[in-house]
């Protein structure tokens, strides 16, 4: 998998250098994530974290922006105990390598910068996953690490501002496939949803 990622990045770099419209740089970001489920009695709280990685941009008014980002995501799932069901209180934490591919459009050019719209698919490769366990009789722990998918697909939608050598992206990420489809005969159909604000530095 690492060799394939490196090959794609090198191929993109070679092609973009040939066309002469290429930007490369590091970026850091702030993320909030939660899980959405089809169960009305399951509540998901927001998890906050940071991410970092590299971005490329190929083109000007219309451009491609592939990235490779190390990020954390997850959520706290909770269900209160009632007469029919035991309580659930589990926290899911994931470390992923995200590979988004954004298609961007420059909307406004104001000389020292511009305003952009962007959207595109996002693949998250899960490299580490943990699920907390409640050691109390009134709780059940349906979700195990084996129930969590190793590859998460999503779509990003957002916008950005370029100012001198800096670039700011603000985007929402909506999960496509279930990160947890079923666990302990409970149909979670849980999907990831993220809000991401990132700052990049165009060093090339």
């Amino acid at each position: 998998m690492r060799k394939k990622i490196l090959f794609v990045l090198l191929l993109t770099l070679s092609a973009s250098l040939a066309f002469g419209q290429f930007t490369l740089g590091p970026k850091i970001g702030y993320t909030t994530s939660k899980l959405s489920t089809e169960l009305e009695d399951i509540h998901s709280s927001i998890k906050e974290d940071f991410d970092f990685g590299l971005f490329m941009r190929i083109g000007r008014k219309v451009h491609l922006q592939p990235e490779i980002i190390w990020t954390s995501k997850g959520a706290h799932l909770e269900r209160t105990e009632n007469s029919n069901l035991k309580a659930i209180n589990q926290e899911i934490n994931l470390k992923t390598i995200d590979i988004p591919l954004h298609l961007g459009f420059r909307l406004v050019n104001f000389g020292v910068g511009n305003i952009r719209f962007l959207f595109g698919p996002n693949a998250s490769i899960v490299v580490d996953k943990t699920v907390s366990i409640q050691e109390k009789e009134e709780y059940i722990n349906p979700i195990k690490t084996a129930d969590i998918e190793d590859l998460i697909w999503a779509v990003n939608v957002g916008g950005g501002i370029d100012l001198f050598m800096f670039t700011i992206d603000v985007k929402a990420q909506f999960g496509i496939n279930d990160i947890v489809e079923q666990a302990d005969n409970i149909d979670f159909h849980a999907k990831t949803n993220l809000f991401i604000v990132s700052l990049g530095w165009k060093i090339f």
Side-chain angles (χ1 to χ4, degrees):
M1 179 62 70
R2 292 180 180 177
K3 290 182 179 180
K4 290 181 180 179
I5 294 173
L6 181 60
F7 175 75
V8 171
L9 292 176
L10 290 175
L11 185 64
T12 304
L13 176 62
S14 299
S16 57
L17 287 174
F19 286 101
Q21 297 178 350
F22 173 74
T23 297
L24 172 69
K27 69 184 309 187
I28 59 172
Y30 165 78
T31 67
T32 63
S33 63
K34 66 181 299 185
L35 297 179
S36 63
T37 76
E38 296 182 355
L39 301 174
E40 295 182 358
D41 59 347
I42 297 287
H43 302 284
S44 173
S45 60
I46 292 175
K47 176 180 172 58
E48 300 176 290
D49 220 311
F50 294 92
D51 60 39
F52 61 92
L54 292 171
F55 77 99
M56 304 180 202
R57 193 177 299 166
I58 306 159
R60 292 179 181 169
K61 188 171 183 179
V62 178
H63 57 271
L64 287 175
Q65 185 171 308
E67 303 175 5
I68 181 164
I69 306 293
W70 174 270
T71 188
S72 300
K73 60 190 69 171
H76 181 200
L77 296 178
E78 186 175 10
R79 180 178 72 189
T80 56
E81 186 178 13
N82 57 51
S83 58
N84 298 317
L85 300 169
K86 284 193 172 185
I88 295 174
N89 192 332
Q90 290 191 282
E91 185 171 349
I92 298 173
N93 292 293
L94 306 177
K95 303 294 185 183
T96 67
I97 297 174
D98 279 24
I99 308 175
L101 178 60
H102 300 128
L103 179 62
F105 301 91
R106 189 174 66 192
L107 302 177
V108 178
N109 188 351
F110 50 87
V112 295
N114 61 76
I115 299 174
R116 300 170 285 105
F117 170 76
L118 61 88
F119 73 96
N122 185 95
S124 297
I125 303 169
V126 180
V127 295
D128 184 65
K129 48 188 173 183
T130 59
V131 181
S132 64
I133 301 296
Q134 285 287 339
E135 300 289 350
K136 297 180 180 179
E137 185 178 347
E138 63 267 29
Y139 288 100
I140 61 172
N141 299 284
I143 300 176
K144 309 295 189 296
T145 55
D147 299 316
I148 300 174
E149 294 291 330
D150 294 322
L151 180 61
I152 306 167
W153 290 99
V155 61
N156 293 333
V157 180
I161 297 175
D162 292 339
L163 187 61
F164 298 106
M165 75 287 293
F166 298 106
T167 178
I168 299 172
D169 288 342
V170 179
K171 58 191 177 185
Q173 184 179 113
F174 304 99
I176 297 175
N177 66 315
D178 293 334
I179 181 176
V180 178
E181 182 178 3
Q182 188 182 71
D184 199 18
N185 295 319
I186 301 175
D187 293 322
F188 282 94
H189 295 291
K191 292 180 171 63
T192 56
N193 293 291
L194 280 75
F195 176 75
I196 305 164
V197 180
S198 58
L199 172 66
W201 179 28
K202 296 182 282 188
I203 59 174
F204 186 86

